[in-house]
Amino acid sequence: MPYFCIDVGGTMIKYALLDEHEAVLEHDEIPTQKESKEAFIHSLSKLINPYLTSFEIKGIGISFPGHIVPETGVALQAGAIGVLSGCNVIDLVRQELSQPDIPIIIENDANCAAIAEAYSGRGQDCDDFCLITIGTGIGGAFVHDKKVVHGHSYKAGELGMMIIDYQESGYQTLHDLASTSALVKQYKVLKGLPSEETVHGAAIFEDNDPSVKRLIQEWSTRLAITIFNVVCQNDPDKVLLGGGISRNPHLLPYILLALAKNPFWETFEVPIEICQHQNLAGLLGAYHLLKEKGE
């Protein structure tokens, strides 16, 4: 009996059919319909129902942005899917399913990524680790004693809201200063490119202009400061980096060089590694939570 898992993003929804041994049987994505609550839920049910008809699905796992209460299914704040803020996502999905009693779980997307790494990725050998995702924004998850830390009001790991440069940048957050989107925005300003022009993070790393190299160094230093602060606070076994840009082989050397310049890093140093699962992390995390619930 396979499992059906969904990873909801601001632009696309990834989905996969997985067997008992974590093998991906089918995998694809559809655009995220976020113009209204009804449109979003209808798109999910339209995606899920054919699988319920064609397969004996054991359960549905959902990786979702925002502050998620996994015990109830409520999205206290729904991140990029703002129309779902305050809603019980599980209840809304059930209402349009052909099998409304099927087991469904939901969890924050960064937490799902951490769970995937803990079960079958680079967190397997750790009791405690931190995961930082670098993308449209900055995400985070903390694992302590092999369990995700949710916090009192399910906001643990909201690293993107941290303030790291008040004197120069005021209340701009890590989202504004250290995300891939921030790097792209700064690059466009430096190069005098129109804001609507499409620029990918990978292309910036390939630009050999000395001013671009300095820009990357400054941006990487903000990430390094974030890593240092997180390590000081949590004392993890290691830190894992995820998000699309983490696959770029140039990123980690920039960050390690910036950390090496910190005179206190030697005291707190832990391994910094790239996540293993990358684009499948949210799906695999939801899958493992679903299996865990079934057991």
Side-chain angles (χ1 to χ4, degrees), residues 210-275:
S211 63
V212 173
K213 296 303 180 187
R214 288 193 294 272
L215 174 68
I216 297 172
Q217 288 168 0
E218 293 169 3
W219 175 79
S220 300
T221 297
R222 297 187 189 104
L223 287 173
I225 290 169
T226 302
I227 292 168
F228 177 74
N229 289 343
V230 165
V231 169
C232 288
Q233 182 185 34
N234 294 281
D235 189 26
D237 296 324
K238 67 172 65 170
V239 174
L240 299 179
L241 302 179
I245 204 166
S246 70
R247 298 195 298 273
N248 190 301
H250 301 295
L251 175 68
L252 190 54
Y254 269 106
I255 291 174
L256 293 177
L257 182 62
L259 282 168
K261 294 177 181 178
N262 182 335
F264 306 109
W265 178 238
E266 184 178 1
T267 301
F268 294 92
E269 184 172 357
V270 298
I272 314 295
E273 300 177 7
I274 304 302
C275 288

Side-chain angles (χ1 to χ4, degrees), residues 14-170:
K14 303 184 189 76
Y15 63 93
L17 193 68
L18 301 103
D19 71 11
E20 290 277 356
H21 307 291
E22 204 186 57
V24 177
L25 307 176
E26 291 187 24
H27 176 227
D28 207 342
E29 59 184 19
I30 60 171
T32 305
Q33 304 294 326
K34 55 184 180 181
E35 60 272 16
S36 70
K37 175 174 64 178
E38 292 76 17
F40 178 84
I41 296 300
H42 180 69
S43 71
L44 281 195
S45 64
K46 187 178 177 182
L47 171 65
I48 297 168
N49 279 327
Y51 282 90
L52 296 180
T53 301
S54 302
F55 299 91
E56 193 175 350
I57 302 295
K58 198 166 184 178
I60 298 167
I62 304 173
S63 167
F64 202 88
H67 309 150
I68 307 301
V69 185
E71 294 87 350
T72 63
V74 172
L76 300 173
Q77 192 278 338
I81 320 297
V83 293
L84 269 294
S85 291
C87 296
N88 190 310
V89 180
I90 289 179
D91 284 353
L92 290 173
V93 171
R94 283 194 190 285
Q95 290 173 13
E96 294 202 23
L97 292 184
S98 58
Q99 297 177 27
D101 295 329
I102 191 168
I104 304 176
I105 63 94
I106 190 170
E107 176 59 282
N108 165 269
D109 48 6
N111 288 346
C112 280
I115 290 163
E117 294 296 325
Y119 268 95
S120 59
R122 296 204 166 102
Q124 291 180 83
D125 58 344
C126 302
D127 290 328
D128 302 84
F129 68 89
C130 301
L131 183 144
I132 301 173
T133 58
I134 310 159
T136 306
I138 298 290
F142 302 138
V143 172
H144 177 62
D145 287 339
K146 295 191 179 295
K147 297 290 184 183
V148 167
V149 177
H150 287 98
H152 170 70
S153 53
Y154 300 90
K155 298 182 182 73
E158 287 293 333
L159 303 182
M161 295 306 298
M162 290 172 61
I163 309 296
I164 63 164
D165 189 20
Y166 176 76
Q167 284 189 317
E168 292 294 328
S169 305

Side-chain angles (χ1 to χ4, degrees), residues 172-221:
Q172 288 191 82
T173 67
L174 274 178
H175 292 311
D176 303 315
L177 299 174
S179 64
T180 305
S181 298
L183 176 62
V184 169
K185 183 178 180 180
Q186 293 157 17
Y187 178 80
K188 289 180 180 178
V189 171
L190 178 66
K191 290 289 193 175
L193 300 174
S195 59
E196 65 272 13
E197 183 167 334
T198 300
V199 174
H200 297 289
I204 299 175
F205 279 91
E206 298 302 324
D207 190 327
N208 291 318
D209 183 337
S211 63
V212 173
K213 296 303 180 187
R214 288 193 294 272
L215 174 68
I216 297 172
Q217 288 168 0
E218 293 169 3
W219 175 79
S220 300
T221 297

